[in-house]
Amino acid sequence: MSKQEMSDLISRRVRIEKIAIKDVKLRTFITEDASRNEMVQHVYDITYGTVERGVDTLVIIDDSIVRGTTLKESIIKMLDRLGPKRIIVVSSAPQIRYPDCYGIDMSRMGDFIAFQAAVALLADTKQEHKLQEIYDQCKEAEKQGTLDDKNLVKDVYQPFTVEEISKKIAAMLRHKEVNAEVDVIYQSIEGLHESCPHNQGDWYFTGNYPTRGGNRVANRAFMNYMEKQEGRGY
């Protein structure tokens, strides 16, 4: 690399703008499912004139991506109207893969965009049979009274890397009306532990529950998904 190229690289600056403004009175995450899709389309306003159309890459930061509904149905479509070449969604949390039975109500496996992506990848790679195999293991464990021994749902994600699942999530979040490229970058588990060294509760990312009841909830939530039941896993 020449001195000029090095100078050009060092002199680059990231522009920071307030692109999307949310009505703080509206909370999409806790809205009932029947109303969420309609609501997320009207929660945000955007600032025009800050993005150079067809040139700029727009990087947005989210605290976490659970269902992906707000991103797909509102934010990404809305930001695409500004004409960026590429939209990168950076999540400060790792992929949320498992139910949380201790605090906030995240209990239905099929709601998680990471789980949906893993299931889609199993279909893409002709491995759908794994879902039935895991379900059969859950049913047998339930019969034997050992449903809380092990989180069997981990095997849904086992064939794929974090990057492969992230790439599939990005494809799923890119609405057919969106023109920009869409990428999703997640915080790593290692990075999470480094940033929060004294608070390492990571079960909804890793599936490593601190109690046996957590394993039961994860397995039961998966069984509900396979049986097309809408109830909670606990």
Side-chain angles (χ1 to χ4, degrees):
M1 181 179 291
S2 68
K3 288 185 177 180
Q4 183 60 48
E5 290 173 331
M6 179 66 73
S7 176
D8 291 343
L9 182 62
I10 294 174
S11 63
R12 291 180 182 177
R13 292 292 181 269
V14 175
R15 301 200 330 269
I16 300 175
E17 303 282 356
K18 184 175 285 188
I19 298 291
I21 303 170
K22 183 178 182 181
D23 187 335
V24 296
K25 298 187 298 296
L26 300 175
R27 293 291 293 144
T28 58
F29 184 84
I30 60 175
T31 305
E32 60 177 320
D33 292 345
S35 305
R36 185 180 296 108
N37 286 351
E38 180 179 355
M39 182 181 183
V40 296
Q41 299 178 40
H42 307 289
V43 171
Y44 294 86
D45 291 320
I46 53 177
T47 304
Y48 288 91
T50 56
V51 174
E52 187 172 350
R53 301 185 70 86
V55 175
D56 286 344
T57 293
L58 190 55
V59 180
I60 62 173
I61 301 175
D62 203 348
D63 57 355
S64 61
I65 304 172
V66 184
R67 304 178 181 96
T69 305
T70 305
L71 281 171
K72 180 175 182 177
E73 299 299 334
S74 180
I75 296 178
I76 293 177
K77 288 170 62 177
M78 174 186 65
L79 295 176
D80 187 62
R81 296 202 299 267
L82 299 174
K85 178 179 65 175
R86 185 181 180 198
I87 299 172
I88 302 176
V89 182
V90 179
S91 172
S92 62
Q95 295 169 2
I96 295 177
R97 298 181 170 191
Y98 305 95
D100 178 28
C101 52
Y102 309 112
I104 194 166
D105 183 12
M106 302 189 304
S107 57
R108 290 185 298 189
M109 192 70 68
D111 285 350
F112 302 138
I113 187 70
F115 178 81
Q116 296 171 29
V119 170
L121 285 171
L122 288 174
D124 292 346
T125 56
K126 311 299 183 186
Q127 299 183 75
E128 301 101 316
H129 59 90
K130 286 184 174 293
L131 296 174
Q132 185 62 47
E133 290 173 359
I134 297 168
Y135 176 73
D136 291 342
Q137 292 173 25
C138 288
K139 292 294 289 184
E140 180 61 25
E142 184 179 47
K143 180 180 177 181
Q144 298 297 327
T146 58
L147 196 60
D148 56 1
D149 279 3
K150 180 182 178 182
N151 181 359
L152 299 168
V153 188
K154 287 185 178 183
D155 287 346
V156 174
Y157 302 96
Q158 187 275 329
F160 312 110
T161 65
V162 171
E163 291 73 21
E164 287 173 325
I165 294 175
S166 295
K167 185 176 180 181
K168 191 64 176 181
I169 290 172
M172 295 172 70
L173 292 178
R174 187 176 182 269
H175 199 281
K176 61 182 180 180
E177 300 174 3
V178 170
N179 295 309
E181 299 176 35
V182 177
D183 292 297
V184 179
I185 300 175
Y186 282 91
Q187 170 72 279
S188 67
I189 300 296
E190 296 76 18
L192 177 70
H193 288 168
E194 186 176 350
S195 61
C196 304
H198 306 297
N199 299 278
Q200 296 194 359
D202 61 7
W203 48 87
Y204 24 71
F205 312 125
T206 64
N208 299 327
Y209 289 95
T211 67
R212 294 171 65 91
N215 293 333
R216 175 181 292 275
V217 166
N219 293 332
R220 181 70 258 177
F222 177 77
M223 292 166 69
N224 286 347
Y225 168 80
M226 293 294 290
E227 295 167 2
K228 295 181 171 55
Q229 295 188 33
E230 292 296 323
R232 291 179 172 86
Y234 51 86

